[in-house]
Amino acid sequence: MTAHEDWSEQQTRADVTVDGHDLAVAYYEDGPGAEAGNEAETGGDEPPIVFLHGIPTWSFLWRDIAPAIAQDRRTIAPDLLGYGNSSMRDGFDRSIRAQESMLEELLVELDVETASLVAHDIGGGVALRFAAHEPDRVDKLVLSNAVCYDSWPVEFVANLGLPDSAETDDEFESHLDSAFVDGAYGEADPEFVEGMKAPWRSDEGQRSLVRNAVATNTNHTTEIEYGAIEAETLLLWGEDDVMQPIDYAERLTDDLENAAVEPLSEAYHWVPEDRSAAYVDRLRDFLLEPNV
């Protein structure tokens, strides 16, 4: 069994309703109290930690991160709608506005009142919206190379939403290789590359990825009231990223009430993969220490 197949085997599914559509969300869950599905049984008052991925990834992005944090805290890592092993059929919105609704529904389903959020790419846009709309429900916030303001969509994602009808499967896969192989800092781990590409190899998956790309909407981050976010925020950013430059992290520090930038060197956009050990260490320091 491959690493991504093993990850899929560990996932659970929850039913949510978003914009009147009944949809399935696949999620990884581990850590104290995870099987009970009850926040009160996580070993105290500490909130669970929810990991949110971006495009064109899925929760496998957190393969080296979430299990390490689960040694100390309940962790939940969903596949966004239209991604990974969550619903991929046509007929529903996959924008970050809809993903925010999914997150709220999932937290209700899992009896989670308050959580810390760790988010990457468009998952960061979801987390920012949720933290602005529900400030009392977010304990701490970690954003990594996250979409915000008018920083997106980038050309690669926009092009995914404009498929060439004559494009072959090999050409489509080469687009993904350009993201996951060429986008790695140094030599890409084949396990990571294969895992990231796996959900998109079927006809349904390829079509879903196109729908996901089309659903990117800059208005959903330009309209955020950033000053409404109260959570202590760590901007754990791959400093060499050209898709979501660190300048945006520095802008966030001006608009968020309590935020600090921590650059991670030798990391491009896939910072949880490029610097996984350092990423885990910094998450532990930030998330597992008590609020002051």
Side-chain angles (χ1 to χ4, degrees):
M1 182 181 293
T2 65
H4 66 268
E5 289 170 339
D6 180 61
W7 183 269
S8 294
E9 285 290 321
Q10 295 180 66
Q11 288 182 306
T12 307
R13 291 169 71 88
D15 296 323
V16 300
T17 302
V18 175
D19 298 335
H21 298 284
D22 295 330
L23 302 165
V25 176
Y27 64 94
Y28 168 92
E29 185 178 17
D30 199 3
E35 291 185 0
N38 189 323
E39 186 176 3
E41 296 181 40
T42 61
D45 297 328
E46 301 300 331
I49 297 168
V50 178
F51 293 85
L52 300 170
H53 67 84
I55 185 172
T57 63
W58 56 300
S59 61
F60 187 66
L61 175 72
W62 306 110
R63 64 188 178 123
D64 292 326
I65 311 297
I69 299 301
Q71 296 174 22
D72 302 294
R73 187 77 62 82
R74 181 183 176 193
T75 61
I76 302 163
D79 292 339
L80 299 181
L81 296 174
Y83 295 75
N85 292 305
S86 291
S87 290
M88 283 190 173
R89 63 173 173 78
D90 273 349
F92 62 89
D93 185 8
R94 299 108 182 287
S95 70
I96 65 169
R97 180 207 58 79
Q99 306 292 357
E100 178 195 7
S101 297
M102 177 279 289
L103 174 61
E104 185 168 9
E105 288 273 319
L106 181 63
L107 294 183
V108 170
E109 183 71 18
L110 298 181
D111 296 319
V112 174
E113 179 61 32
T114 303
S116 291
L117 304 179
V118 179
H120 178 260
D121 192 77
I122 67 166
V126 177
L128 283 163
R129 287 180 63 92
F130 187 83
H133 294 149
E134 301 284 349
D136 294 338
R137 299 188 62 188
V138 179
D139 182 54
K140 291 183 178 181
L141 181 61
V142 179
L143 300 171
S144 293
N145 302 71
V147 304
C148 52
Y149 307 109
D150 60 351
S151 72
W152 65 303
V154 298
E155 183 179 3
F156 167 76
V157 172
N159 287 342
L160 286 175
L162 298 170
D164 184 342
S165 60
E167 185 175 64
T168 67
D169 289 344
D170 286 345
E171 288 170 331
F172 178 76
E173 189 151 334
S174 74
H175 291 324
L176 297 180
D177 281 335
S178 72
F180 300 123
V181 177
D182 300 338
Y185 193 98
E187 186 175 353
D189 183 346
E191 185 178 89
F192 169 74
V193 174
E194 289 305 303
M196 286 296 101
K197 294 195 300 187
W200 316 122
R201 281 194 161 122
S202 68
D203 289 342
E204 180 186 51
Q206 184 171 341
R207 183 170 58 251
S208 188
L209 182 54
V210 171
R211 303 289 188 263
N212 298 338
V214 170
T216 54
N217 187 335
T218 309
N219 291 333
H220 293 165
T221 47
T222 57
E223 71 183 6
I224 294 172
E225 186 181 348
Y226 290 90
I229 297 172
E230 299 175 0
E232 183 182 1
T233 302
L234 174 65
L235 303 163
L236 191 56
W237 219 270
E239 68 177 358
D240 298 315
D241 187 10
V242 296
M243 290 195 289
Q244 297 299 324
I246 199 166
D247 291 351
Y248 282 101
E250 293 166 350
R251 182 176 171 185
L252 283 167
T253 63
D254 293 333
D255 289 339
L256 301 184
E257 183 176 308
N258 185 8
V261 180
E262 181 158 334
L264 282 177
S265 61
E266 300 181 349
Y268 292 143
H269 189 63
W270 314 120
V271 59
E273 173 68 16
D274 287 340
R275 296 294 308 278
S276 57
Y279 199 94
V280 167
D281 288 344
R282 192 61 192 95
L283 285 188
R284 283 203 176 107
D285 290 343
F286 180 70
L287 293 174
L288 304 183
E289 65 184 14
N291 283 319
V292 178

